[in-house]
């Protein structure tokens, strides 16, 4: 659906729109994997959040377990995007 919208709004062919969307998502993914954040002014910021290891219980057995530390992508919406939603 995104590729169709990009092609329709930009006048690009679907092939070119696919390349553009893929290039953007690949660039964001590479930056996040490198530990960088990506700011799209007015739209928002993609970043990586570190989640620390924590204790939990298996709901079916009640046995305690440890959930390991991990990294998780996050998105914080920008002011322009937020304003358009309200």
């Amino acid at each position: 659906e995104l590729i169709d919208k990009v092609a329709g709004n930009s006048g690009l062919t679907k092939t070119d729109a696919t390349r553009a969307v893929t290039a953007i998502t690949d660039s964001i993914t590479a930056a996040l994997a490198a530990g960088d954040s990506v700011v799209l002014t007015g739209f928002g910021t993609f970043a990586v959040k570190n989640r620390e290891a924590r204790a939990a219980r298996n709901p079916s057995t009640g046995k305690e377990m440890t959930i390991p530390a991990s990294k998780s992508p996050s998105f914080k919406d920008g002011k322009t995007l937020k304003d358009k939603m309200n």
Side-chain angles (χ1 to χ4, degrees):
E1 291 178 24
L2 178 60
I3 290 169
D4 291 336
K5 293 281 186 184
V6 170
N9 290 339
S10 67
L12 295 172
T13 64
K14 273 189 163 184
T15 302
D16 289 339
T18 300
R19 282 191 208 126
V21 170
T22 301
I24 290 168
T25 56
D26 288 350
S27 297
I28 292 170
T29 302
L32 294 176
D36 297 331
S37 62
V38 177
V39 178
L40 301 174
T41 304
F43 184 74
T45 302
F46 294 92
V48 176
K49 290 194 175 190
N50 293 314
R51 298 182 73 180
E52 299 205 13
R54 60 195 187 279
R57 285 195 186 278
N58 182 330
S60 61
T61 64
K63 183 179 177 185
E64 276 199 23
M65 55 192 264
T66 301
I67 299 173
S70 65
K71 293 181 180 182
S72 177
S74 68
F75 177 76
K76 183 174 186 330
D77 51 342
K79 182 173 177 4
T80 303
L81 179 62
K82 213 182 288 188
D83 289 346
K84 288 191 178 199
M85 299 297 109
N86 294 315

